[in-house]
Amino acid sequence: MWNYEKRLQFPVNITNPNAKLAQVIISQYGGPDGEMGASMRYLSQRYASPYREVSAILTDIGTEELAHLEMVATIVHQLTKDLSMEEIEESGFANYYVDHTVGIWPQAAGGVPFNACEFQSKGDIITDLVEDMAAEQKARTTYDNILRLIHDQEICEPIKFLRAREVVHFQRFGEALRIVQDKLNSKNFYAFNPGFDCNECKI
């Protein structure tokens, strides 16, 4: 059960619409390393975690990613609202407009729709946590790329906040992996999954 606080995690107040920039930032809504995939990844993985404290970390971060999804959607919305048809055509936003008007729809910057294949829930806690750490770094890199392209501080400030949270999440998943490794320290967990009875294995 979640309690929804009706405010953004970081304020977004953009006064200059810009559909070109919206097409870049939307990748962090529904792109391959975006917030939609992140939230679904962690909130799915938590069920297979054998340790309550690691499940809690996955739930905490997965929930925060929903808040980040809300922030990115707000940025895209504020960048595209009240555009004239001329601005839509000149910005290259016409193709998106035909299908979605100025509604928020999950896709990558290149126009590829969000697909659940963009995130994994493997059911092996070490595999999942290593993927989670990589996912946070890929999201951080994407925000770095966005910041190289954008110079409007009204946009940059919330993007910088989102980028900083990716770094924190990476660190927390590292802590979670340490918890798992400590609990499995009597096993060579990279070669042997203690969930299997390997007395019968021929490896």
Side-chain angles (χ1 to χ4, degrees), residues 9-38:
Q9 194 177 14
F10 187 94
V12 177
N13 297 296
I14 298 168
T15 55
N16 297 312
N18 188 322
K20 283 186 178 180
L21 299 184
Q23 293 171 85
V24 171
I25 294 168
I26 203 168
S27 214
Q28 279 302 88
Y29 188 73
D33 304 308
E35 306 293 355
M36 181 169 289

